[in-house]
Amino acid sequence: MSILAYIIIATGLEASISLIGRLVAIFNADEIKKAAHFIVSFAVGALLAVAFLDLIPEAAHLGEEAGIAIEGVTGIFFFVLSGVFLFFVLEKFLFWYHCHDEGSCPVHTYTYLILWGDALHNLIDGVIIALAFLVDIRLGVVTTIAVVFHEIPQEMTDFSILLHGGMARRKALVYNFLVALPAVAGGILTYIFADSIASVLPYAIALAAGNFIYLAAVDLMPELHERTSLKHAFFQIMFLILGAFIVVLPGFFFE
């Protein structure tokens, strides 16, 4: 199977998960709310494992082949840090309406802003997935896993906000699926212009690693402290470890 086929399937999966998440939010809202922290735990483990065990080492390896330093203001780790800062700025000024607490989220006139923000967010996800597949199939697989499991809780929350803002369920489902499609477009465009971005691929992978670290540490991990029971904490830790393990597992099949 070609790299382009992998990219289309992976980004298509990311887009379809967006729709599935919203269907689950409709039909199993109570169960999803109870399981949300465990989904988030899994996503945190997967995102951090991909960033530290795959993306950063791969960026360093590609950088070494291209004669790029690991450290310093032009090095790989500088771009990892830049990725953290960059996605903080993006979230601050573009995704500020993406929150995880329905009671404090903007509603009504902001429902369409949420859709525009989702479209841009999914476009970036598609680019990140494609970049990973351009480097290595295994890296693409584990990156897709991390992106998908990060999307599930976020997408269900966004859908709930749209409903709370007065949008009809059918209309919200259709619109949300449409704004998920830029993930596929981002992946295909990245593949088409692969030759043009080859020289900056190590930097792009490093920025993606910074993105994953930011998402896990800033957006998701604080949610894991909302419940403090020992039993809940134990299962959170188990799902976090499982998320990291799932990232390592494809290495046995794509070596």
Side-chain angles (χ1 to χ4, degrees):
M1 190 161 57
S2 68
I3 296 298
L4 178 59
Y6 275 112
I7 291 173
I8 292 174
I9 291 172
T11 53
L13 174 62
E14 198 268 351
S16 65
I17 285 295
S18 170
L19 179 59
I20 291 171
R22 291 170 174 92
L23 288 173
V24 172
I26 292 175
F27 297 112
N28 297 286
D30 293 337
E31 291 82 355
I32 288 299
K33 185 173 290 186
K34 293 177 183 178
H37 282 186
F38 302 131
I39 297 174
V40 169
S41 297
F42 188 99
V44 168
L47 287 167
L48 291 178
V50 169
F52 287 105
L53 301 181
D54 288 296
L55 292 179
I56 293 176
E58 192 61 49
H61 174 69
L62 292 174
E64 183 180 1
E65 290 183 345
I68 299 171
I70 301 298
E71 301 175 351
V73 294
T74 59
I76 296 300
F77 284 113
F78 174 79
F79 278 85
V80 174
L81 180 62
S82 297
V84 175
F85 291 159
L86 172 63
F87 286 94
F88 168 77
V89 172
L90 283 176
E91 187 170 59
K92 196 71 173 177
F93 294 102
L94 297 177
F95 305 143
W96 58 271
Y97 36 81
H98 273 179
C99 57
H100 302 282
D101 180 3
E102 285 185 49
S104 64
C105 286
V107 294
H108 302 301
T109 58
Y110 295 99
T111 54
Y112 290 99
L113 288 178
I114 291 173
L115 292 174
W116 281 109
D118 268 341
L120 180 57
H121 185 98
N122 288 320
L123 179 69
I124 293 172
D125 284 345
V127 171
I128 290 174
I129 289 172
L131 287 172
F133 274 111
L134 288 173
V135 174
D136 179 69
I137 292 177
R138 177 191 172 277
L139 185 62
V141 170
V142 298
T143 300
T144 302
I145 291 172
V147 168
V148 164
F149 277 93
H150 159 253
E151 284 296 308
I152 291 174
Q154 175 182 308
E155 296 292 356
M156 288 188 294
T157 300
D158 288 344
F159 182 74
S160 299
I161 296 167
L162 293 180
L163 294 182
H164 188 57
M167 186 175 288
R169 288 184 176 182
R170 184 184 297 273
K171 186 176 182 180
L173 279 170
V174 172
Y175 279 15
N176 277 307
F177 180 70
L178 290 177
V179 300
L181 294 180
V184 181
I188 294 174
L189 288 173
T190 302
Y191 176 83
I192 292 173
F193 295 103
D195 292 339
S196 301
I197 65 174
S199 61
V200 297
L201 191 57
Y203 300 119
I205 294 294
L207 287 172
N211 174 32
F212 279 18
I213 293 169
Y214 175 81
L215 289 174
V218 178
D219 270 358
L220 300 181
M221 197 172 287
E223 294 187 18
L224 304 183
H225 297 296
E226 291 177 359
R227 298 183 62 177
T228 58
S229 71
L230 183 60
K231 179 180 179 180
H232 199 80
F234 172 79
F235 281 107
Q236 283 182 342
I237 294 170
M238 290 299 101
F239 273 90
L240 194 150
I241 294 172
L242 179 62
F245 175 74
I246 291 296
V247 166
V248 176
L249 188 61
F252 295 105
F253 302 99
F254 295 95
E255 289 186 350

